[in-house]
Amino acid sequence: MQGIPDSYSDYIAWEQLPHLWCAGCGHGIILKGIILALGELDIPPHKALLATGIGCSGRAGDYIACHRFQGTHGRTLAFATGIAAAQPDLTIIAFMGDGDAGAIGGNHLIHAARRNINITAVISNNFNYGMTGGQFSPLTPENSITSTSRSGKSESIMDICSIAAEAGANYVAKTTVYHVRELHKFLKEAISTKGFSLVEVISPCPTYYGRYNKIGNSPEMLNWLKETALPLEKFQSLSHEEKQKFFWRGKLVQRSREDFLNKYKKQQSAMK
Amino acid sequence: MKDMFIQGNEACALGAINAGARFFAGYPISPVNELSEFCSRELPKLGGIFIQMEDEIGGLAAVIGASLGGMKAFTATSGPGFSLMQENLGFAVMAEVPCVLISVQRYGLCTGVATKPGQQDIMQARWGTHGDHPIIALVPSTVQECFDLTVQAFNLSERFSSPVLVLTDAALAHLRERVIIKDEGELNIINRKTPSVSPEEYLPYSPDVNGIPTLAPYGGRHILRVTGLFHDERGFSTSNPEKCRKLLERLHSKILNHQKELPPPKYYGKDGAEIILISYGISARSAREAAERGIKKGINMGMINLQTVWPFPEEHIMNLCDQAEKIFVVELNMGQITGEVQKIFKGKAEVMPILRYDTNVITPSEILDKIESVVK
Ligand code: SF4
C-alpha cells in the first residue's frame, strides 16, 4: 500500500476493507496502535494472535492478517489462557470492549491477571455497548445517559485498571485515543511485558455515547478526551467531587512477577 | 499394556492421556474430582498442563484455546458445570474445534443430589446449546468402556474436527473394575490433518472431500482465523445467506454422512428376538443381566447396549429390532431415550419405558419383573 510502511501494511487484511465501524469510532485507532506496536517490536503476523470478544471492537479480527480468534462474549481471556499454554511463543493480544471485559468477562479478567497469563489485554472503553445500541456498561461513568439509563446511570463506575492491578497484573496503563503517542508507548510496553498486561483505552463512540450525552461528534469527543483525561498524579491530587468529572491516564503498575506457565513448569519439574 | 483395577473416573482420564491429550482445564465438581485430580498429577509428568479455571465456562474455553494451539485437550464436569459449558460447546461445534468433554451425570436438575447417579442429561447433551447443531456423544457402561470410549472420543474429535462428549454417571465414575489399559503406542490413534497447501493458498475452513476443515495450529505460517460467528472459508465472518446455509449443512453432513464410523451398539442375546431391551451407560449393566436371566427362563429376548447415543443410531436399532414385537428402554430418567426409540418405531413395535429416577441405579430384578408383567 502506498505511503504506508511495510511493517504496518503486512498486518492488515486489505481485501476486507472498508470496515463496519462508524465514522469517528475509536476502535480503528487502537487497532492501528496494536499493529504499529507489533511491527516496531518485530513480531511477524504469524507470531501474533488477535483475540477479540463480541461487539463492535470484536470485529477487529475481520481486518487483520495475523492469527485471529473471536470467542463468545466475555470469554476471550479464558480462551486465550488455553492458547497461551499451548503456544507460549505466540504474542497474544486480547482486544475487548468495556462490557465484554468488565461485565460478562469480569471474572475471567480478574483471574487472568491473578494467574498472570502471558497475554496483553487491550480494552477499548467507549462507555457503552455500541453494537447493541448503546446500553451502559460497568465502566460507564455514573449519571451518564445511555439507552438503558435514560435518566442517568444509577450505578457507580468500575475501575478496571485498579482491579487488574490488585489482582496481580504485571503491567497496567490507561490512556485515550486522543493521546495517541502515549497509546503507542503503552501498547509497546505492555506487549513487551512477560505475564499479564492491560491497557485501557478510552475511545469515542459518537453514534451513541457522544450523542446521548451531548458531547458531540468525533472531533468534539476527541477534544472532550483531551480535556477530561488528566495525568495520573494530577488526577490523584483532586478532591473526590472533582474526580467525578475527570479520567486519569498513565501507568499504574509495572513489575515482573513470574508468569503462570513458567512457574507451573518449574514447580512441576521439581516434583518429578 | 497394563492390567489395572481402577474406577471409571480414572479410566476416562487414562483413556484421554493415552489418546494423546496433554491439556486439561476444568473446575472442581462432584462426582468428577478424581478425574481432575488424576490429571493434575499425571499430565505434568508427560510435559502436559493442568489448569484449574475460575469456572466451567472458562474450563471449556481454555480447552478450546489449547486445542487451537495444537494440543489434544479435554475437560470433565457434571450437570451444573455441563450447563455452564453449553455456551462454549456450541462454540466448539461452530468453530469445529476437536476436544473432548466428559460429563459424569449426577442425579437431578439444578444442583440435584451431587453424589448420586442419573442419566438425566442425555437430552441436554443433544440440545443444550442453542442453534441447530450436530453432536457426537458416547456412553460407556463399564470401566473398560470408560477407557476405550474416551480413546475413541479423541479419535473421533480429531477425525471430524468436532467436540465429542463422553457421558458417564456418578455410579460408573466410582465403580472399580479390572481393566486392560493399552499404552499410547499400542492404540490406534488418529491425529487431525495438517495443511497440504502453502501458507498463501491456505484456507482454514475450506472443507476436504469428507467435509472436514484443516485447522493449522496457531503460531505457524499458515494463518488460522477462528470465530463463533458464521464465517467463510477464510475464517472471516459473513452473513451471506448462501454461505450460512452451506456451512450449517456441512456441520451436520460431515458427521451424519459418516455415522458408520461411530461406535456401534453391542448386542447380547438371541438373534431375531421378539423382546428387546435397549439401554446404555450404568443401566445397561442391569439390562444385560435381566436379559440373560430372561433367556434362561425361556423368554425369546435380546439386549442392545448403545455405545453412541448421539447421533442416535437409528439404523443399527432398526436392524437389531427386525423381529421385535415389544421393546423396553431402560434408563435413569423420565424417558429421554424412550422418546427417541418411540419416534423411530412409530407403532411398528410396542415401545415401553422401564425407568428409575429416585437416586438409585435400576436392578436386574426390577427390569425382569416389569418385562414378565407385560409378557406373561
Ligand atoms: S456504534 Fe459506537 S463503538 Fe460501534 S462502531 Fe459505531 S462508534 Fe464505534
Side-chain angles (χ1 to χ4, degrees), chain A residues 13 15-16 45-47 49 54 59 61-73 75 77-83 85-87 90 104 107-109 111-112 114-115 117 260-261 264-265 268 272, chain B residues 23 40 43-55 57-58 60-66 68-71 87-88 91 217-229 232 234-237:
Chain A
E15 72 277 19
Q16 287 286 99
H46 73 279
K47 284 289 163 206
L49 174 125
I54 301 296
R59 292 304 184 89
D62 276 334
Y63 312 121
I64 45 102
C66 57
H67 292 285
R68 180 260 176 110
F69 178 84
Q70 181 181 27
T72 43
H73 194 31
R75 319 298 175 207
L77 291 170
F79 285 107
T81 298
I83 302 171
Q87 291 291 339
L90 194 61
I104 190 166
N107 196 29
H108 302 302
L109 184 114
H111 293 285
R114 175 186 62 79
R115 218 173 260 127
I117 303 292
F260 166 77
L261 204 60
Y264 179 82
K265 296 232 149 149
Q268 297 298 340
K272 269 182 208 170
Chain B
F23 185 90
S40 76
L43 279 173
K45 293 182 192 160
L46 301 161
I49 298 166
F50 166 92
I51 304 185
Q52 187 170 301
M53 292 296 286
E54 50 275 17
D55 55 29
I57 302 172
L60 184 52
V63 161
I64 290 168
L68 292 170
M71 289 176 103
E87 174 187 70
N88 288 331
F91 181 91
Y218 282 134
R221 291 202 173 268
H222 293 79
I223 296 293
L224 177 61
R225 292 188 196 93
V226 177
T227 174
L229 292 169
D232 60 22
R234 298 169 302 168
F236 288 126
S237 58

Side-chain angles (χ1 to χ4, degrees), chain A residues 20-27 56-57 126 128 130-131 204-208:
Chain A
L20 60 57
W21 295 318
C22 308
C25 177
H27 294 326
C56 296
S57 63
N126 56 22
N128 69 182
M131 183 69 96
C205 172
T207 305
Y208 294 113

Side-chain angles (χ1 to χ4, degrees), chain B residues 298-311:
Chain B
I299 305 174
N300 181 11
M301 66 186 298
M303 187 261 165
I304 297 174
N305 184 354
L306 302 180
Q307 302 283 287
T308 302
V309 75
W310 304 122

Side-chain angles (χ1 to χ4, degrees), chain B residues 68-87:
Chain B
L68 292 170
M71 289 176 103
K72 286 191 185 176
F74 73 122
T75 186
T77 189
S78 183
F82 194 38
S83 289
L84 291 183
M85 288 187 184
Q86 295 302 326
E87 174 187 70

